[in-house]
Amino acid sequence: MVRMSAEERRESVIRAAIAEFAQRGYYGTSTEAIASRVGVSQPYLFRLFAGKKAIFAAASLRCVEDTCRVLGEAAEGLEGEEALHAMANAYVRLITEQPERLQMQMQTYITVAAAEAEGDHEFGEAVRAGWMKLWDTVHLPLGADDNDTTTFLAYGMLINTLAAMGFPPEHRVWQGMYPSARITGRLEK
């Protein structure tokens, strides 16, 4: 059996953490569940990460990085409407093929609010920095227009909300979406 490097193990933990936190949130997920999913002990988990908060932050930021990568790749060489539709399609595909990514995003926003309420601003600052990276990823392909960028991200948040609530693709609430942003039977609950 080939042994994994610490970096490979760390990647395994991040993937497991996304799956666990997406389902149960920060407060409902134990580090024991994450360690068990990866097949490591809790002490080993804490050799890779400083604690549960660090694991959650790594999982949250990975989701933002992955979203930026997917949108950036979709818009490569495109601009304006073409970029908009390519990024919308890519995002819908991401959250329908990997619904835990959407669930993790939603858990992240809730956890930022909870951390801020407790006086912990470090996590929120990291997530806001990730959001700004997302903003920049879509801003340039959309012609560096603030209104277009805001509209695109607003549609994305609406898609997040509708998908998270389980509205079926044929429901009338989807009709106002960009055609490329509509979930067309790809969303499984």
Side-chain angles (χ1 to χ4, degrees):
M1 184 165 113
V2 177
R3 291 179 51 100
M4 281 195 227
S5 69
E7 191 55 38
E8 290 169 324
R9 202 57 94 177
R10 188 175 166 79
E11 285 300 311
S12 294
V13 170
I14 291 171
R15 284 191 306 273
I18 289 170
E20 292 292 329
F21 286 129
Q23 290 177 11
R24 293 173 194 79
Y26 178 76
Y27 296 101
T29 299
S30 69
T31 54
E32 183 179 317
I34 296 168
S36 175
R37 185 180 278 260
V38 178
V40 299
S41 66
Q42 275 187 297
Y44 185 78
L45 194 69
F46 294 125
R47 278 188 259 159
L48 299 172
F49 294 91
K52 181 177 175 180
K53 191 184 295 185
I55 298 168
F56 187 85
S60 295
L61 297 177
R62 174 59 55 80
C63 283
V64 172
E65 291 166 6
D66 288 350
T67 301
C68 288
R69 179 184 47 74
V70 165
L71 296 179
E73 288 172 0
E76 195 169 327
L78 304 175
E79 39 185 63
E81 288 283 318
E82 285 183 311
L84 180 145
H85 293 294
M87 289 187 294
N89 244 334
Y91 184 69
V92 168
R93 195 170 38 258
L94 174 69
I95 66 169
T96 55
E97 291 174 1
Q98 299 176 47
E100 70 279 2
R101 299 302 173 134
L102 169 61
Q103 294 163 330
M104 185 68 202
Q105 276 186 64
M106 303 303 268
Q107 294 291 353
T108 297
Y109 304 141
I110 292 166
T111 304
V112 167
E116 295 276 333
E118 293 175 352
D120 176 1
H121 304 290
E122 187 178 337
F123 179 64
E125 288 170 12
V127 171
R128 286 186 289 276
W131 179 263
M132 289 311 302
K133 203 171 154 185
L134 181 62
W135 170 275
D136 292 338
T137 298
V138 301
H139 191 61
L140 292 177
L142 295 180
D145 182 277
D146 290 343
N147 289 329
D148 289 346
T149 303
T150 298
T151 299
F152 181 85
L153 293 172
Y155 269 97
M157 291 304 287
L158 179 57
I159 289 167
N160 289 349
T161 302
L162 297 175
M165 289 191 301
F167 276 103
E170 64 279 356
H171 195 281
R172 65 186 171 95
V173 297
W174 289 104
Q175 297 313 305
M177 295 290 166
Y178 307 126
S180 56
R182 288 188 192 146
I183 293 181
T184 56
R186 294 181 283 195
L187 181 65
E188 298 297 321
K189 255 326 226 170

